[in-house]
Amino acid sequence: MKKILCIALVLIFAFGALAGCGSGGTNTTPSASPSASADGSASPSASGGAANGGTIKIGILGPLTGEAAQYGIAVSHGAQLYIDQINDAGGINGKKIETVVYDDKGDPTESVNAFSRMVDEGITGLIGPVTSKPTLAVVDEALTYNMPLITASATAAAVTYNADTQTVNTNVFRTCFIDPFQGEKMAQFANDVLKAKTAAVIFQTGDDYSVGLKDAFVAKCEELGINVVDQEGYSKGDKDFKSQLTNINSKSPDVVFSPNYYEDDGMLVTQARQAGIKATFMGGDGWNNVSKYASPADLEGSVYCSGYASGSTDEIKAFEAAFTAKYSGETPDMFSAQAYDAAIVLLDAIKAAEEKGLEAGSDDYKAAVIDAMKNTTSVGLGGKYSFDEYNNPIKSAVIMKLADGKETFSQMF
């Protein structure tokens, strides 16, 4: 009888221990893909405590590995910096912000799958995705849940506005410029500042970002009277642009608009100079960090549109110092800064929902966050934020110029 009693007690304690493992423990953030934090360590959990309603979960989604990882890591770091600063200051309404970070590898399917897991884990808002195609894929899912979403870097116009149905994606915002805005700005700059009369374009076919900027640039040039003498396309993965650049050189344009990403743009400029092209090269915000991919001599005088100018204000200098201190000397870029701003806008909106006494993650809570984002008075690194009727930011463009191998602030335009 004593033996049976002992066995029973052992079983009771065993089941109790298992129950303790299944609930009431510390809620930790999953690792990317499942997920790693952008610096390669375990993804941080900002909660520091049990999942008992004392935390608010925010998703950060983007490519932490793969060819677009430079952008994803920059975004993740920028957003996490501000979230950590808020947590260090006591959180929001006494609650800490817990980040759920996933790596989508820049792939739309991976991005949708990661978002679904984030929803299951109880996020109440999302920063990301990073590039346009994954963001467009996630937007459809986010609409289903009315999930507050703000991207720091997805520039395709369709992210916030569905032209087919002529409807605004009311839950989706961004802190970056849209593709048409950048293309139009650079055409205007070519006309007003560079006094260009002729232009050529070289772009990646099938890429939403590249094609979007190209189309807007060409249309604006036609409106301004700039003759677009050549439009050359290339395929993803191409390394040899001799044929396209030879065609462009034969037309002797004043400017060449290259609305692609930094690595391709570096190769294009290098090969263009080898082909004898003397024109001023121009680009969009995908040129950020292009100085690492071409020589100072080849890049000299090139200009691109950006949303960020390093060291241009006291606020930006403070951000840069905090970023460098947190990430072991790493230098922030435009994507880091725009992600920092995205976190400001989202967390300010969450604060507004908290002040209403709503339950984090509920439908009413998410609606309150979205309403606060639409009517934001947040002040980011680029100044006070507001959004137009399509949830795109209203702010001036920064023109960056390549001089002596450095990407330097030229002017606001």
Side-chain angles (χ1 to χ4, degrees), residues 198-280:
T198 58
V201 181
I202 184 163
F203 66 100
Q204 182 182 316
T205 57
D207 181 76
D208 292 337
Y209 172 81
S210 190
V211 172
L213 266 74
K214 182 266 298 183
D215 288 346
F217 178 84
V218 170
K220 191 66 174 180
C221 281
E222 292 175 353
E223 177 186 321
L224 295 170
I226 297 174
N227 182 21
V228 180
V229 296
D230 195 14
Q231 298 183 52
E232 297 285 340
Y234 69 91
S235 300
K236 181 178 180 180
D238 285 356
K239 305 294 184 184
D240 185 350
F241 310 101
K242 183 178 180 180
S243 176
Q244 296 96 323
L245 294 170
T246 298
N247 290 339
I248 289 174
N249 191 41
S250 70
K251 307 293 176 59
S252 300
D254 296 325
V255 297
V256 177
F257 188 52
S258 182
N260 309 294
Y261 291 111
Y262 56 91
E263 189 169 6
D264 282 4
D265 290 317
M267 290 189 292
L268 282 162
V269 171
T270 299
Q271 292 180 36
R273 301 312 183 202
Q274 293 169 351
I277 296 174
K278 305 297 185 184
T280 299

Side-chain angles (χ1 to χ4, degrees), residues 50 96 126 136-137 151 225-226 236 278 303 323:
K96 295 297 180 72
L126 176 65
L136 288 167
T151 175
I226 297 174
K236 181 178 180 180
K278 305 297 185 184
V303 292
F323 189 98

